Every structure is written in C-alpha cells, then in structure tokens.
Amino acid sequence: MSENEEIIIPDKPRENANSLSISEIKEIIPHRYPMLLVDRILDFEPMKWAIGIKCVSADEHFFSGHFPDYPVMPGVLQIEALAQTGAVAVLSSPENKGKIAFFGGIRNARFSKQVIPGDVLEMRVRLIKSNGKVGVADGKAYVNGKIACRGELTFFIQ
C-alpha cells in the first residue's frame, strides 16, 4: 500500500466477494468467545479494507451488566468489533499470516446510535496507512444504514 493510495470500500459486497465464515475468521484472528465480535466477513481485500457483521443477540454476555434493564452494547466493544474486522484485512495478507495485530490506540471515537439486541452491526474498515508493523485504519459501524460509531484505529503487528 503506497502512502498516497486512496483505499475505497465498495458500497456493498462485490459479486465475487471474498466472504469468510466464522470458522475462516478464526483461522485468521486469534479471538474466541467471549471476545470474538465478528460473525462474518461479507467482503475484503487484504491490506486494504474489510466489511464484517456482528449479529447482536439478547444472550450476549455483556448485557447482563450493561445494563440489565436496558441492554446496550458497550461502545468499547463496538470499537473492538471494528478493530477485529480490520485485523482480518491486515492478517489475511501472506506476509502477516499467523501473526497477531494488537490495538495501539483510537482517535476521534464517536458514538451516534445505541446498539441493542436484535441489531446487526455492519463494520466497514479501511487501511489509511501501513509501514511494516504499524498501521492506521478508519472504521465505521452501522445499524440499518445509520452510523453507530466511528474512529481511527492504530494497530501494530507482533
């Protein structure tokens, strides 16, 4: 990825989409229950972008305490879902196969919509820059086409 290359995520998965099932996602990123927050990758291009979904169930472990009478997906977990979606794009490249991507930071995080049981969170993450082991990605998560959260994610590869 060159410094000046503008990465564009398609509006919807392509006809010949690179989709991944949960089993295939687990072959790329190390996360497991209860921290695996991506159910499917709808489409992606290694080291460029990924579109993933999280089907938010009423049985999610975090709803028992956040909040028992008003279940809302914590914002920090929405950001983590974005980071995991981006990690699929980064770690699916041949040079990063078998490595781990660590969350290095978040800038300009904004939360615009509550995410509740029954929602499908669609995460769209594109790499902005990457030099070797450190990179930055732009992430946005949507529910029913409306933005739920966004932020600029910094990561580093082990």
Side-chain angles (χ1 to χ4, degrees):
M1 174 173 148
S2 71
E3 187 72 28
N4 297 328
E5 181 182 0
E6 175 71 23
I7 305 293
I8 306 292
I9 302 175
D11 291 335
K12 59 183 179 180
R14 300 166 298 175
E15 191 173 311
N16 59 343
N18 293 326
S19 63
L20 299 172
S21 68
I22 191 77
S23 297
E24 293 167 315
I25 293 167
K26 288 162 102 175
E27 291 175 12
I28 298 170
I29 63 174
H31 303 77
R32 299 295 183 265
Y33 178 84
M35 283 305 296
L36 181 58
L37 298 173
V38 182
D39 293 327
R40 175 169 285 288
I41 296 293
L42 301 177
D43 200 359
F44 74 102
E45 281 295 324
M47 292 305 294
K48 292 189 177 184
W49 55 268
I51 303 169
I53 59 169
K54 166 69 177 155
C55 299
V56 182
S57 163
D59 293 331
E60 304 287 351
H61 70 284
F62 48 80
F63 286 143
S64 65
H66 196 269
F67 302 99
D69 297 324
Y70 192 86
V72 177
M73 184 176 185
V76 68
L77 294 181
Q78 294 173 46
I79 296 294
E80 176 63 23
L82 284 170
Q84 290 179 22
T85 301
V88 169
V90 171
L91 299 177
S92 62
S93 68
E95 65 270 19
N96 292 326
K97 185 175 173 124
K99 295 181 181 176
I100 297 175
F102 289 97
F103 203 168
I106 181 81
R107 290 182 55 198
N108 302 317
R110 298 288 180 263
F111 302 92
S112 308
K113 180 178 184 353
Q114 294 178 353
V115 179
I116 60 173
D119 285 344
V120 175
L121 191 65
E122 180 181 308
M123 290 86 60
R124 303 173 69 81
V125 181
R126 70 181 177 89
L127 269 64
I128 299 171
K129 61 183 171 182
S130 174
N131 4 332
K133 295 184 175 208
V134 179
V136 178
D138 175 59
K140 294 182 177 87
Y142 299 84
V143 173
N144 295 325
K146 294 187 167 96
I147 193 146
C149 77
R150 65 170 32 135
E152 188 177 279
L153 313 163
T154 301
F155 63 89
F156 64 95
I157 299 169
Q158 178 191 31

